[in-house]
Amino acid sequence: MGQTVGGGGRETLLGDVISVSGVFEGSEGIAAARDLARAFLADVQAVHGLPVSGRAMGMVQLVVSELVTNARKYSPGLCLLTLEVGGGAVEVSVWDSNPTPPAILAPDPTRIGQHGLEIVMAVGQSFAVHREPVGKRISTAIVLADDPGGDAAGRQR
């Protein structure tokens, strides 16, 4: 795993955006990507004083795991994970070299496997697939703090 760093530290503060990136290769990169997300969100809370709920911590790690797993499974070479905090949410983006957009399957409780994007879309506020000059980037946003009223923090249908 490699990590993109700026300003001499592991994360950078640019205006109101706090971000970190990591490059991963191989299946061991999936656990390292989750570790990066966990450490980043702990720093967001401890260093920058932004609230990060336990739900957000868990959901971001789940989304990172699903997206990096897909990148490792369906694309050769490296993948790039970027986490950016701004506006009370963390945007999770994963770039890989495969330009083919993922197949987004309809929910099917009888299907074994291939529920990763279904999960990502259910827990995120947004979901987007962007073609890049090389490959594609998949992004979603997770709210950092649960709604005080107890409502689900995910995307509203």
Side-chain angles (χ1 to χ4, degrees):
M1 173 196 81
Q3 230 174 45
T4 301
V5 294
R10 195 180 57 168
E11 59 198 43
T12 60
L13 181 58
L14 303 170
D16 290 352
V17 178
I18 306 162
S19 68
V20 68
S21 293
V23 176
F24 303 96
E25 184 173 22
S27 60
E28 68 280 352
I30 298 164
R34 279 192 309 266
D35 291 345
L36 176 64
R38 182 177 33 255
F40 173 68
L41 291 178
D43 286 352
V44 163
Q45 189 162 15
V47 175
H48 299 285
L50 297 174
V52 177
S53 71
R55 178 189 183 282
M57 181 70 78
M59 290 300 106
V60 169
Q61 289 178 75
L62 174 63
V63 164
V64 164
S65 183
E66 293 295 341
L67 293 179
V68 172
T69 296
N70 284 353
R72 300 304 327 123
K73 185 174 181 180
Y74 298 109
S75 181
L78 304 172
C79 72
L80 172 67
L81 166 67
T82 301
L83 303 167
E84 289 186 353
V85 171
V90 60
E91 181 176 87
V92 179
S93 292
V94 174
W95 170 89
D96 67 54
S97 63
N98 184 348
T100 305
I104 300 173
L105 304 174
D108 179 358
T110 63
R111 184 177 63 243
I112 307 277
Q114 296 187 322
H115 293 280
L117 290 180
E118 184 181 334
I119 292 167
V120 170
M121 290 177 9
V123 302
Q125 281 189 305
S126 60
F127 179 82
V129 178
H130 302 278
R131 286 189 176 220
E132 299 290 337
V134 174
K136 68 180 170 302
R137 180 173 41 92
I138 298 176
S139 302
T140 189
I142 306 291
V143 174
L144 287 174
D146 291 327
D147 180 65
D151 294 333
R155 189 167 45 133
Q156 303 302 310
R157 300 211 187 267

